Amino acid sequence: MKRAIYPGSFDPLTLGHIDMIERSSKIVDELVIGVLHNSAKNSLFSLDERVSMIEEMTKSIPNVTVGSFDGLLVDYMKEIDATIIIRGLRAVTDFEYELQIAQTNHVENPDVETVFLTTNLQYSYLSSTIVKEFASYGGDISKFVPSRFVDRIYAKYNISK
């Protein structure tokens, strides 16, 4: 069985993330969405909120589960018996960074392979950072995130729409 992980902070979950989840779930037997808990980062949403939001959006995809981890991805992969990492590439600049991480993970655990998927052109500009920037100023984020999360994101900035 091919078990893959799509890791990230997902803070917040974007339509680009959803697209990657849907596409990658079709090429592996099981896809684990690994939500990173990074205590050094000041997250907009708590770890539990991020996990819950992803579960909400993926409940109709039978081979997708959601978990959380902190520490090294390769260590978490051993815990869940995954050997494939799914990463999305938006631009050439993503590739340089992602290649270094993929090679490091492979050195750490030679059984780990990284699969790069290019993002859908529709979302090639999109990142959680952009969503947070727009939302913090009350900008329209309806084209960036699932509609059910728009008000939750604005609420984090005490903005009502």
Side-chain angles (χ1 to χ4, degrees):
M1 180 165 81
K2 296 202 181 313
R3 180 174 294 134
I5 184 165
Y6 177 43
S9 59
F10 306 102
D11 185 42
L13 182 69
T14 70
L15 294 174
H17 292 134
I18 298 295
D19 179 62
M20 291 297 296
I21 291 167
E22 289 172 348
R23 290 170 49 212
S24 55
S25 71
K26 293 174 184 172
I27 60 174
V28 297
D29 298 316
E30 184 181 347
L31 180 65
V32 177
I33 311 305
V35 184
L36 175 63
H37 174 258
N38 184 346
S39 56
K41 270 190 169 182
N42 196 7
S43 298
L44 184 63
F45 288 95
S46 72
L47 181 64
D48 289 341
E49 287 173 316
R50 289 180 281 148
V51 167
S52 175
M53 290 164 78
I54 297 167
E55 287 174 338
E56 228 179 285
M57 289 305 299
T58 60
K59 64 184 171 196
S60 65
I61 309 172
N63 64 330
V64 171
T65 58
V66 184
S68 63
F69 70 100
D70 96 33
L72 292 176
L73 175 59
V74 289
D75 292 340
Y76 181 61
M77 291 178 71
K78 285 178 191 171
E79 279 180 43
I80 63 169
D81 196 30
T83 56
I84 302 166
I85 301 170
I86 304 286
R87 296 299 296 164
L89 297 176
R90 293 173 294 207
V92 173
T93 51
D94 286 347
F95 180 73
E96 282 188 48
Y97 173 76
E98 292 294 345
L99 180 63
Q100 288 178 317
I101 299 298
Q103 290 171 330
T104 304
N105 286 332
H106 188 73
V107 166
E108 187 66 25
N109 182 345
D111 294 331
V112 168
E113 296 293 346
T114 301
V115 174
F116 296 112
L117 296 178
T118 56
T119 58
N120 183 320
L121 284 176
Q122 183 179 357
Y123 306 117
S124 62
Y125 64 90
L126 187 56
S127 70
S128 294
T129 303
I130 287 173
V131 171
K132 289 186 275 195
E133 181 80 9
F134 265 70
S136 71
Y137 291 105
D140 181 8
I141 59 171
S142 64
K143 293 180 181 131
F144 305 153
V145 298
S147 58
R148 65 177 67 187
F149 300 144
V150 170
D151 289 340
R152 291 185 221 181
I153 295 167
Y154 286 135
K156 292 291 183 176
Y157 295 103
N158 294 316
I159 296 171
S160 60
K161 287 275 183 173

